[in-house]
Amino acid sequence: MEDLEKIKEICRYNRCNIIKTIHNANSGHPGGALSSVDILTVLFEKVMLNFPDWDKNPDFEKRDRFVLSKGHGSAGIYSVLAKRGYFPEEELKSFRKINSLLQGHPNTHIPGIEVPTGSLGQGLSLANGIALALKLDKNPAHVFVLLGDGELQEGSCWEAFMHAPHRGLNNVTAIIDRNNLQIDGSVDKIKDINPLNKKLEAFNWNVVEIDGHNIEEIYEALMNSKKSEKPTAIIAHTIKGKGVSFMENQCGWHGKAPSDEDCAKALQELGE
Ligand SMILES: Cc1ncc(C[n+]2csc(CCOP(=O)(O)OP(=O)(O)O)c2C)c(N)n1
């Protein structure tokens, strides 16, 4: 990938904005935003056909769609959308403030957000519905959806996993942020979802496993998924809190804002 270093730098930049945004709001979910930001950055910078200026672009209906099923990871998608020019970066300062653009969980007032999310377990069903409508309209756009691994404990996810192959929705790519932690402990101990790859294969998905922090692996898996004959599930092995040493693999950082001191330390580690 000729612009690998540039994408890595954008990932670093977006990580800094996640920390600043949550620190400024004194509220939010850093762990799962940091685990998924490499995936979201590659998706929006390199893979998706997307147009920040939808109104000005006559082909906007052909844009690829994204659904953040794990809606609490909002600081991650907001940082990525701001960098991509969907709204001014200044708006990140409005995160979680009353009546502001950037609410705690994504909603459709926000440019780049297709559906409201936050109640876990619904995003894949929403993505399936969008994908089916696109197919009926003979629209070639692709739908990407990001789910948490703890989220997969919701039964509705499995109805949706059953549905996509049945309907031949090869225009759906489900990315699972497999960071092994949920709100208060390890996913495997709270309710084991293993063997995840075999379960998804049995549900007739094209299953791919990647290192969710390796930019080239992310890019290849996402691009290949656009050409698959089956819906693709990408199990992305990640580290919750990735990039900030004291947040990594700590479920205590699932939904906690960094203090002034934590924020300064995190930004220093991220090379800000
Ligand atoms: C239906 C529903 N139940 C509970 C919650 C509260 N909640 C928010 S995040 C979370 C844990 C999610 O874990 P995971 O999907 O692994 O997310 P990640 O570790 O990637 O942040 C829970 C239970 C919710 N948002 N929706």
Side-chain angles (χ1 to χ4, degrees):
M1 192 192 285
E2 76 282 356
D3 54 354
L4 178 63
E5 293 310 314
K6 182 184 140 207
I7 298 297
K8 280 188 185 167
E9 168 53 24
I10 298 177
C11 291
R12 188 199 65 79
Y13 185 86
N14 289 339
R15 278 198 162 82
C16 291
N17 270 342
I18 289 170
I19 297 295
K20 289 182 204 167
T21 298
I22 296 174
H23 171 252
N24 186 63
N26 196 22
S27 167
H29 298 81
L34 292 168
S35 64
S36 55
V37 72
D38 296 317
I39 298 162
L40 295 184
T41 301
V42 175
L43 194 55
F44 276 81
E45 295 286 338
K46 294 277 295 176
V47 175
M48 279 173 60
L49 183 64
N50 60 54
F51 309 106
D53 288 329
W54 293 350
D55 300 348
K56 294 183 201 133
N57 199 311
D59 274 340
F60 77 98
E61 283 187 359
K62 288 191 186 146
R63 73 188 185 280
D64 291 332
R65 272 67 164 176
F66 174 70
V67 177
L68 183 70
S69 191
K70 43 169 273 185
H72 60 280
S74 53
I77 187 67
Y78 296 165
S79 297
V80 169
L81 290 173
K83 179 78 184 93
R84 196 72 180 76
Y86 280 80
F87 48 77
E89 204 170 293
E90 192 63 17
E91 285 291 347
L92 294 174
K93 293 189 183 143
S94 78
F95 182 53
R96 287 192 163 229
K97 306 265 194 255
I98 290 173
N99 293 330
S100 72
L101 179 68
L102 302 182
Q103 291 298 300
H105 293 78
N107 65 48
T108 51
H109 302 299
I110 303 167
I113 299 295
E114 306 277 354
V115 287
T117 52
S119 186
L120 295 169
Q122 303 186 4
L124 185 56
S125 295
L126 290 163
N128 284 344
I130 297 168
L132 180 57
L134 290 169
K135 276 205 180 267
L136 291 172
D137 285 346
K138 303 202 182 336
N139 183 326
H142 201 89
V143 188
F144 296 91
V145 49
L146 181 74
L147 302 105
D149 51 359
E151 182 183 6
L152 297 194
Q153 294 162 349
E154 298 278 358
S156 52
C157 293
W158 296 95
E159 292 185 35
F161 278 126
M162 219 184 321
H163 189 75
H166 175 71
R167 283 287 188 162
L169 301 178
N170 64 339
N171 53 346
V172 172
T173 298
I175 309 148
I176 296 131
D177 182 358
R178 188 75 170 108
N179 60 30
N180 281 311
L181 290 177
Q182 52 189 91
I183 206 166
D184 51 2
S186 105
V187 174
D188 298 354
K189 287 205 183 102
I190 290 166
K191 190 180 281 182
D192 195 2
I193 58 171
N194 282 315
L196 185 56
N197 53 357
K198 292 200 178 122
K199 282 179 182 159
L200 294 170
E201 272 161 19
F203 276 56
N204 212 13
W205 283 65
N206 168 39
V207 182
V208 183
E209 296 203 47
I210 61 164
D211 171 348
H213 301 302
N214 181 314
I215 304 302
E216 287 176 307
E217 281 188 35
I218 297 168
Y219 177 70
E220 200 178 327
L222 290 170
M223 290 303 284
N224 286 341
S225 76
K226 281 186 161 191
K227 296 177 271 175
S228 170
E229 285 176 10
K230 292 179 182 180
T232 296
I234 300 174
I235 303 173
H237 295 278
T238 60
I239 294 170
K240 200 154 174 166
K242 172 74 178 175
V244 178
S245 62
F246 56 93
M247 292 187 181
E248 287 192 0
N249 280 320
Q250 303 295 322
C251 67
W253 284 102
H254 170 83
K256 187 173 83 164
S259 64
D260 293 349
E261 200 187 339
D262 295 330
C263 179
K265 202 168 160 219
L267 292 176
Q268 188 191 24
E269 283 190 17
L270 290 167
E272 175 90 344

